[in-house]
């Protein structure tokens, strides 16, 4: 039995073993059924901006922390390459339970920013940083008003704050609009729970004077309310609150990513484009200089007529010039391995690129 027959037999045996193995779960790939009243964890991913290429961890700013401490989620390769730092948050959401207003860190009181922390908030807001969150592995999105009411547009994440006449205002209230789809059981009996198909966040800036209850705070009307101003290099006290609204939806779980596929980023990342071009030109120039300096003497040497003795005394890379086009041993196996590696590498780039733009 030669090596080719043994390789074929081994591949057939390996396929049989894989078929006998039990399936496994990949987070975000299979739908999750939630029962009414079940708690769903809201996680923070990172802070990013279109004006700068430096992402930040969510807790790089003094936000409210969970009572049980901060827990970072193990990340896959794509999340690591994107700079994600998925971490737990104190936002508590229960399935099909609306919250009109819920205060964070109520027992500890309002969050106090010192001069340095207030300056950090001001700088992040002035650079148009956005916060990214996850609910059931679904990214948070912000609904964008459109002139065409028939078409709904969304933006990834929500803004940390906004600037008006040079003054920075912090979005300290988050209104969670969670859309769910209820699957009808095929047998017509029982309740299979609900599936989360949408996660919208409407951020507002509200200056609370004081809060007397954790769950009975009042969100003022949109018009006439005073926003939460962050003054640079000045101590500030901020209350963080959130509200939850569950809305039924006809969108099925398999189509819940459609709004992210239809997003259009109107701001071109000129810094990233110029940075990539400069790096490519710089590396190409260095490579060209190395090749020219290395091969200049060899090219001049081969262009001249030399005697046999000089031709025999070859050193370095010139000794393998006769082996370049010589076929290797087991060429069929070599080509299969090279082709499989190129396919795996290409699919990895496609998946990572698709996940990045989603």
């Amino acid at each position: 039995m030669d090596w080719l027959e043994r390789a074929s037999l081994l591949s057939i045996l390996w396929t049989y073993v894989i078929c006998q193995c039990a399936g496994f779960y990949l987070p975000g790939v299979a739908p999750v059924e939630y029962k009414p009243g079940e708690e769903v964890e809201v996680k923070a991913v990172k802070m990013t901006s279109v004006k700068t290429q430096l992402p930040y961890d969510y807790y790089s700013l003094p936000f409210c922390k969970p009572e049980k401490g901060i827990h970072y989620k193990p990340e896959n390769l794509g999340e690591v390459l994107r700079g994600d730092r998925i971490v737990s948050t104190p936002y508590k959401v229960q399935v099909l339970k609306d919250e009109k207003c819920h205060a964070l860190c109520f027992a500890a009181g309002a969050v106090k920013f010192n001069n340095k922390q207030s300056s950090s908030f001001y700088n992040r807001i002035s650079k148009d940083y956005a916060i990214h969150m996850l609910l059931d592995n679904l990214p948070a999105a912000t609904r964008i008003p459109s002139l065409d009411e028939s078409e709904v547009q969304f933006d990834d994440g929500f803004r940390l704050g906004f600037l008006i006449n040079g003054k920075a205002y912090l979005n300290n209230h988050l209104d969670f609009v969670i859309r769910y789809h209820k699957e009808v059981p095929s047998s017509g009996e029982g309740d299979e729970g609900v599936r989360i198909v949408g996660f919208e966040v409407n951020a507002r800036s509200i200056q609370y004077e004081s809060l007397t209850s954790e769950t009975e705070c009042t969100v003022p009307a949109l018009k006439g309310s005073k926003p939460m101003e962050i003054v640079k290099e000045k101590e500030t006290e901020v209350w963080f609150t959130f509200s939850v609204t569950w809305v039924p939806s006809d969108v099925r779980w398999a189509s819940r990513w459609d709004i992210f596929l239809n997003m259009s980023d109107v701001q071109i990342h000129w810094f990233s484009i110029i940075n990539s071009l400069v790096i490519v030109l710089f590396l190409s120039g260095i490579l060209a200089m190395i090749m020219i300096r290395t091969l200049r003497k060899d090219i001049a040497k081969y262009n001249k007529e030399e005697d046999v003795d000089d031709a025999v005394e070859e050193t370095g890379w010139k000794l393998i010039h006769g082996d370049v086009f010589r076929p290797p041993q087991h060429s069929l196996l070599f080509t299969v391995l090279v082709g499989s590696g190129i396919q795996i590498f290409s699919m990895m780039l496609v998946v990572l690129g698709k996940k990045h733009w989603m």
Side-chain angles (χ1 to χ4, degrees), residues 271-328:
F271 180 82
S272 298
I273 297 175
I274 296 175
N275 184 41
S276 301
L277 292 176
V278 170
I279 291 176
V280 170
L281 293 176
F282 179 73
L283 295 178
S284 301
I286 292 179
L287 181 61
M289 290 178 59
I290 294 174
M291 294 295 294
I292 291 174
R293 294 185 61 180
T294 303
L295 300 178
R296 180 184 299 172
K297 294 181 180 179
D298 296 332
I299 295 174
K301 179 180 179 180
Y302 281 106
N303 287 335
K304 295 187 301 182
E305 295 183 359
E306 298 178 341
D307 54 11
V308 179
D309 296 336
D310 294 336
V312 173
E313 297 179 358
E314 294 180 347
T315 59
W317 63 271
K318 296 183 289 297
L319 295 175
I320 62 172
H321 70 277
D323 297 332
V324 174
F325 298 102
R326 184 176 299 166

Side-chain angles (χ1 to χ4, degrees), residues 164-213:
I164 298 180
N165 298 326
K167 296 182 179 181
Y169 298 94
L170 174 64
N171 289 327
N172 58 329
H173 176 80
L174 302 181
D175 182 17
F176 296 149
V177 180
I178 305 174
R179 303 186 182 276
Y180 66 93
H181 179 76
K182 194 170 185 180
E183 293 289 339
V184 179
S186 58
S187 60
E189 300 179 358
D191 187 6
E192 295 186 0
V194 299
R195 297 177 179 178
I196 297 176
V197 296
F199 181 34
E200 300 177 18
V201 178
N202 300 317
R204 287 184 57 186
S205 181
I206 303 173
Q207 182 174 351
Y208 297 99
E209 298 298 334
S210 62
L211 297 179
T212 58
S213 176

Side-chain angles (χ1 to χ4, degrees), residues 105-121:
C105 304
F106 181 79
V111 181
K112 298 180 180 180
F113 303 154
N114 55 32
N115 297 344
K116 184 178 180 180
Q117 292 171 342
S118 298
S119 299
S120 298
F121 270 101

